[in-house]
């Protein structure tokens, strides 16, 4: 720790790298918090959790008793008798007693990405509601053809206000808040859609996972999906970084030929003369032919690729890395798979999972640097190394199955909700902070001088 601080002071360590190292050290010591407690008002299983993207302060939770609550996770509402444990009670609650409340279980709840003045809920009563946080009134609602499993809004969108809704119907519907109507209907799945996830790098790309075991990529500006992931289409390991690939390409370009003076002519690709005297390389023609072939086998059309599956059971969880380059999927076949989004390949990372939820959607969480993934595994929450699949932590605290995980990168905290109606907080150990404070005091005592005032 102190070595990194010294390197940062002398400029040997960049600010972002220093910050990531501190955060990684904090999350490595994560445990059930002994100084923060969320007082849950829910009388049913907690199904989803989300912290607002603007301040990272307000936690939104939904439950099977048709209630949704908001908590301030930075400012405590009360303390215990000793004054050591901060208690966070709800500052907003909407339940069945509300005149516009849902009638059945709320399966998903999301904040409006750029403002905490709105939040969205989806329920088994076939409705998606958009709420005004200040007045707790429904601003817009959308009637769905079946139970709502998952809703999502793009965190990077600047041109649209669309809510992607996955239901027990085979079609994915995009709801436009500004007009109060359905903007798009995406058809392709052969069974209900349990998970939806927007791309972290493009506001137009949507990823959906269905009960038919398929994961589909959609460009909402065009008809049909443009990719269907196939678990048999694989590549081993992580793709090399852009810097590594550019260095390798530069080295191969500058590598001198070992032949004689005519070796440059031999190494030159063959060319074809056209009628107008223009020469075209055969490699470029081959690339064009391959590209046209890929266009003919468009996954949105009826082809063998359209029937590819990513899991042997329902896809009930999707989570994209923060850079938008990889996708993690969870299935009812108790398998986790990591996908390279650029190539659409299964990276064959072997996650040491035991059992996953099979009957409802699962909410996964990924750390700030995309090195750890938190997965609900029945009554425990496991943290896996994203690139090796090894189990790094086994977090036990719930009495029943865990349904959702949420990582708050602001404080490096993890929130989990389960069927025991509890919301648990997992925080970095305070012993490390106390040790740092003690060392700080020692160093101050050493550095102080003996001069008189």
């Amino acid at each position: 720790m102190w070595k990194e601080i010294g390197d940062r002071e002398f400029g040997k360590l960049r600010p972002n790298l220093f910050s990531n190292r501190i955060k990684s050290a904090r999350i490595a010591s994560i445990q059930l918090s002994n100084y923060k407690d969320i007082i849950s008002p829910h009388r049913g299983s907690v199904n989803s959790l989300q912290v607002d993207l603007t301040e990272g302060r307000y936690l939104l939770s939904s439950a099977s008793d048709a209630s949704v609550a908001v908590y301030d996770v930075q400012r405590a509402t009360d303390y215990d008798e000793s004054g050591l444990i901060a208690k966070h009670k709800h500052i907003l609650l909407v339940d069945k007693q509300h005149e516009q409340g849902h009638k059945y279980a709320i399966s998903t709840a999301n904040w409006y990405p750029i403002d905490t003045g709105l939040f969205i809920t989806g329920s088994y009563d076939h409705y998606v509601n958009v709420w005004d946080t200040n007045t707790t009134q429904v601003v817009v609602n959308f009637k769905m053809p079946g139970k709502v499993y998952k809703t999502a809004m793009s965190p990077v969108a600047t041109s649209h206000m669309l809510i992607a809704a996955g239901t027990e119907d085979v079609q994915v519907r995009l709801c436009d808040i500004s007009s109060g109507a359905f903007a798009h209907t995406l058809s392709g799945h052969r069974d209900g859609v349990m998970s939806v996830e927007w791309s972290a790098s493009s506001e137009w790309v949507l990823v959906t996972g269905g009960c038919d075991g398929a994961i589909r990529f959609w460009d909402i500006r065009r008809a049909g999906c443009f990719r269907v992931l196939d678990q048999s289409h694989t590549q081993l390991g992580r793709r090399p970084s852009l810097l590594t690939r550019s260095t390798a390409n530069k080295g191969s370009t500058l590598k001198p030929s070992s032949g004689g003076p005519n070796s440059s002519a031999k190494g030159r690709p063959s060319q074809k003369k056209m009628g107008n005297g223009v020469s075209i390389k055969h490699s470029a023609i081959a690339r064009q032919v391959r590209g046209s072939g890929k266009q003919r086998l468009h996954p949105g059309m009826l082809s063998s690729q359209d029937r590819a599956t990513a899991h042997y059971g329902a896809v009930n969880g999707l989570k994209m890395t923060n850079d938008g380059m990889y996708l993690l999927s969870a299935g009812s076949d108790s398998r986790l798979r990591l996908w390279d989004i650029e190539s659409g390949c299964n990276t064959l990372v072997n996650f040491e999972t035991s059992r996953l939820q099979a009957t409802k959607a699962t909410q996964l969480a990924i750390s700030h640097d995309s090195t750890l993934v938190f997965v609900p595994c029945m009554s425990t929450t496991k943290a896996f190394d994203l690139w090796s699949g090894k189990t790094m932590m086994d977090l036990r605290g719930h009495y029943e199955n865990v349904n959702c995980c949420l990582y708050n990168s602001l404080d490096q905290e993890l929130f989990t909700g389960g069927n025991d109606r509890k919301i648990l907080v997992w925080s970095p150990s305070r012993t490390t902070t106390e040790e740092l404070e003690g060392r700080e005091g020692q160093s101050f005592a050493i550095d102080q001088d003996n001069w008189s005032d």
Side-chain angles (χ1 to χ4, degrees), residues 234-240 345-349:
T234 61
Q235 72 179 29
L236 189 60
R238 186 178 181 181
R239 187 170 73 244
C345 291
N346 176 12
T347 59
L348 297 177
V349 176

Side-chain angles (χ1 to χ4, degrees), residues 73-91:
V73 296
Q74 292 185 4
R75 181 176 297 177
T77 55
D78 196 7
Y79 287 87
D80 67 341
E81 296 177 356
S82 63
L84 299 176
I85 301 178
K87 297 184 179 294
H88 298 260
K89 297 180 180 178
H90 63 273
I91 57 177

Side-chain angles (χ1 to χ4, degrees), residues 148-161:
V148 180
Y149 292 131
K150 195 72 175 176
T151 59
M153 293 192 72
S154 174
V156 296
T158 58
S159 304
H160 64 77
M161 302 168 60

